[in-house]
Amino acid sequence: MEDDFSDLVGQELRLPETEFNPPTGHEIEGRVLKVLKATKRYPAGRLELSLLVDGRRQTFLWDQSLFKREWVVPPSAGASSTTPRRRAATAAAAAASGGTPRKTPPPQSCPPPPSRAALPHPCRPSTCAAPHSRAASPANGAAAPSHPTSAHASPATAPAAHTQVAPSTPAAHPPVSKLRGFANMVVLVVVALPALYFAHHLQHTCTQAERLRPFDMPGALRADWQRALLQLLEPSWWCALGQHPILAVNVVYFLNVNVLFWVLSLVQGSTWLIDPYWTIIPPMIGLFYKTHPASLFDPARSLVSMTLLFVWATRLTHSYFRREGWQLGAREDWRFTDMAAQIGRSWWWVSFFAAYLSQQVMLVGITLPLAAIHSSAASWDPVVDTLSAIAAAAGIALAFASDNQLRAFMLANEGRAAHGQKPVLVLDTGLFRYSRHPNYFGEQLWWWGLSGFALSVGQPWMMVGALLNSLSLVVVTYMVEARMMRRPERRAQFRAYQATTSPLVPWFKRTPKAVSKQE
């Protein structure tokens, strides 16, 4: 029988400090909180809990599959964690009845540190091994919340938490069953088929006359929905669309990614699919431009740019799966979880714009240089093209090195926690000594290097995608650093790190300034 969670109302929960907890501004981990309301939301659902936090009602969202029944505190166990007022009332009642007040049992002791295959024990963070943190990504993903594989949400996307208390390891990830993992792999492959079929249709099925026929926008743009649907079912219409490569990419992206991925997210209750596709979509777009029937390009520029693109995608895909514990679909980008918790019931439709449509602007924009490269036969420029290639390669290498340094730091903290040692709160060695987010800088350098090829062929306007990417980085950096400041134990140290270290471009340490101690 399906669990409706209605029995949680009125009970108390001890929330372990794990990555499964919803990201909030409240210090709720390790505390015993009363459940005021428990409601299932969304298809494939989330569990919406209203908890009594410091005398106020606060609402949080969990993935139902991640909620643990062992978090429920039995009445006898919860007595030791109640408020002083409640304990005093209990003692007074016992004295009035002539009995002796019940002694508060000692705090729950923690077992030995769990193995990497075990879930964290639900103890208070002050008495247990260091907590695990949720990783992120966006361009989905490197190794931790402020460390996405790109500068976006993704999605894999998915933002440089080099100051996390403990590493995000495969053990800390929600376990994915073999059946679910296989189903997610099937979904990952099948969702690409519409776009692949369109490319195949354009190259091998469309006649020259169909490609050259005047392109007519769908009737939907004239509020003629019936005619629009009929046009979308006509193969010849798609052939005519294909003669406009950038427009074709946008139309196929909207239908194949925005609409299809969004519908799947409503069914699965997670936006995880956009994360791995952040690394897959750019190579697919690049191959579409390169193999387009009307493509025109310099072989050297095409070879270098496409090789760098696939190296970038391979690095980022490896980083995503390593971050996710070599599982597929275990979780979504933490920023979307944040948004879902803040927006609540409207998230089902807001997610279409926040998780999908917004990323179309980003992904199509940053791949515009690939359209420029494959629409010009201008020969290799020994200055602009060479510098662009060097910058792009350097950006990939820098991001790769940053990811590895961050992962080594997190694994070292895991080892310290396993031996009962205090974790190092801030990574300020290696590349992180000169930049708070060297992985972000590497990612930006890669995209600006790729954009340099558009400049070389005389289409500088196609660099607009890299500009939008950089502007979005400002928002992402603010989000991840605000997330880093949520825990008091590392707040002062991280502020000192902010005061002396460049936020993005690697540079020498600054002279430390006075850091506010007001918290």
Side-chain angles (χ1 to χ4, degrees):
M1 183 176 178
E2 187 178 5
D3 192 349
D4 63 2
F5 301 99
S6 59
D7 61 308
L8 294 179
V9 177
Q11 298 198 56
E12 293 181 325
L13 303 178
R14 174 178 279 114
L15 304 176
E17 184 172 3
T18 73
E19 61 180 294
F20 306 149
N21 283 342
T24 70
H26 304 280
E27 300 297 331
I28 65 172
E29 295 88 345
R31 297 174 58 180
V32 174
L33 303 173
K34 186 175 181 179
V35 179
L36 302 178
K37 184 180 179 181
T39 309
K40 293 173 64 174
R41 300 290 182 195
Y42 311 108
R46 297 178 184 270
L47 172 62
E48 180 180 308
L49 290 180
S50 294
L51 304 178
L52 187 63
V53 182
D54 298 328
R56 295 184 178 182
R57 184 191 191 108
Q58 301 290 343
T59 300
F60 307 99
L61 294 176
W62 272 271
D63 185 322
Q64 292 177 23
S65 63
L66 302 182
F67 183 84
K68 305 298 181 184
R69 279 282 172 178
E70 53 263 35
W71 296 353
V72 178
V73 180
S76 59
S80 63
S81 300
T82 53
T83 62
R85 180 179 296 177
R86 180 172 176 179
R87 289 196 296 270
T90 302
S97 61
T100 57
R102 181 178 178 178
K103 293 184 178 181
T104 300
Q108 180 182 6
S109 60
C110 294
S115 66
R116 295 183 65 171
L119 293 177
H121 191 272
C123 297
R124 288 182 179 275
S126 60
T127 59
C128 298
H132 292 275
S133 319
R134 174 164 187 161
S137 173
N140 293 310
S146 59
H147 185 54
T149 49
S150 79
H152 317 286
S154 157
T157 176
H162 44 274
T163 58
Q164 291 299 321
V165 175
S168 177
T169 66
H173 300 158
V176 175
S177 67
K178 291 183 179 180
L179 180 60
R180 182 185 170 193
F182 176 76
N184 287 342
M185 179 60 71
V186 171
V187 169
L188 186 75
V189 173
V190 170
V191 292
L193 295 182
L196 295 176
Y197 176 77
F198 169 71
H200 180 271
H201 174 71
L202 181 64
Q203 295 178 42
H204 302 288
T205 307
C206 295
T207 65
Q208 187 67 13
E210 288 176 324
R211 293 195 190 103
L212 296 178
R213 99 175 219 188
F215 176 68
D216 185 21
M217 289 298 292
L221 297 182
R222 298 186 295 275
D224 186 352
W225 291 99
Q226 183 177 5
R227 184 166 180 265
L229 293 175
L230 291 176
Q231 281 185 316
L232 292 177
L233 296 177
E234 294 178 6
S236 59
W237 183 86
W238 291 95
C239 292
L241 171 66
Q243 67 178 311
H244 306 282
I246 297 177
L247 178 60
V249 165
N250 277 280
V251 171
V252 173
Y253 189 108
F254 180 84
L255 297 175
N256 197 162
V257 178
N258 294 348
V259 176
L260 180 58
F261 283 27
W262 175 65
V263 171
L264 288 172
S265 75
L266 298 182
V267 174
Q268 294 188 316
S270 172
T271 61
W272 71 269
L273 190 57
I274 193 62
D275 281 357
Y277 262 94
W278 183 272
T279 71
I280 298 173
I281 290 174
M284 291 180 66
I285 293 177
L287 286 174
F288 176 76
Y289 289 142
K290 180 180 175 66
T291 59
H292 191 276
S295 64
L296 183 67
F297 53 85
D298 173 69
R301 185 181 296 110
S302 176
L303 176 63
V304 170
S305 61
M306 292 300 293
T307 299
L308 288 170
L309 179 65
F310 274 88
V311 170
W312 168 85
T314 301
R315 181 204 75 79
L316 206 56
T317 302
H318 172 266
S319 182
Y320 166 78
F321 279 103
R322 183 175 65 175
R323 185 199 75 187
E324 297 301 307
W326 308 104
Q327 301 182 114
L328 190 61
R331 59 189 175 181
E332 63 184 4
D333 190 302
W334 64 269
R335 285 159 294 191
F336 297 145
T337 305
D338 259 1
M339 293 179 191
Q342 295 167 6
I343 296 172
R345 300 178 183 180
S346 299
W347 174 245
W348 72 270
W349 65 265
V350 173
S351 62
F352 176 81
F353 301 94
Y356 300 106
L357 189 60
S358 63
Q359 299 210 57
Q360 175 175 350
V361 176
M362 196 63 60
L363 279 169
V364 175
I366 57 179
T367 54
L368 282 176
L370 298 170
I373 291 168
H374 295 103
S375 61
S376 172
S379 58
W380 180 273
D381 187 307
V383 177
V384 179
D385 283 320
T386 301
L387 289 177
S388 298
I390 292 174
I396 295 173
L398 182 61
F400 178 71
S402 302
D403 285 355
N404 287 339
Q405 289 181 10
L406 177 58
R407 179 170 175 81
F409 167 76
M410 298 174 79
L411 291 176
N413 263 353
E414 182 187 51
R416 294 185 186 97
H419 291 86
Q421 301 174 357
K422 291 184 179 180
V424 176
L425 297 179
V426 176
L427 171 58
D428 60 354
T429 59
L431 293 170
F432 292 88
R433 175 175 176 80
Y434 305 99
S435 170
R436 300 203 298 271
H437 305 282
N439 51 328
Y440 286 4
F441 178 73
E443 191 74 11
Q444 294 300 303
L445 187 59
W446 145 248
W447 288 116
W448 279 104
L450 183 66
S451 296
F453 292 117
L455 181 65
S456 176
V457 298
Q459 299 190 57
W461 71 270
M462 290 194 178
M463 303 175 75
V464 66
L467 178 60
L468 290 174
N469 188 33
S470 296
L471 292 176
S472 72
L473 181 68
V474 176
V475 178
V476 172
T477 302
Y478 173 81
M479 290 175 65
V480 296
E481 295 206 348
R483 185 178 175 88
M484 299 299 301
M485 302 284 282
R486 286 178 179 172
R487 296 210 170 275
E489 65 267 23
R490 66 167 171 253
R491 194 171 297 155
Q493 192 171 349
F494 186 69
R495 282 189 171 175
Y497 179 62
Q498 286 179 312
T500 60
T501 310
S502 169
L504 186 66
V505 180
W507 196 248
F508 298 103
K509 287 280 189 181
R510 298 189 296 266
T511 302
K513 298 179 180 179
V515 179
S516 174
K517 296 183 179 179
Q518 295 181 358
E519 297 298 339

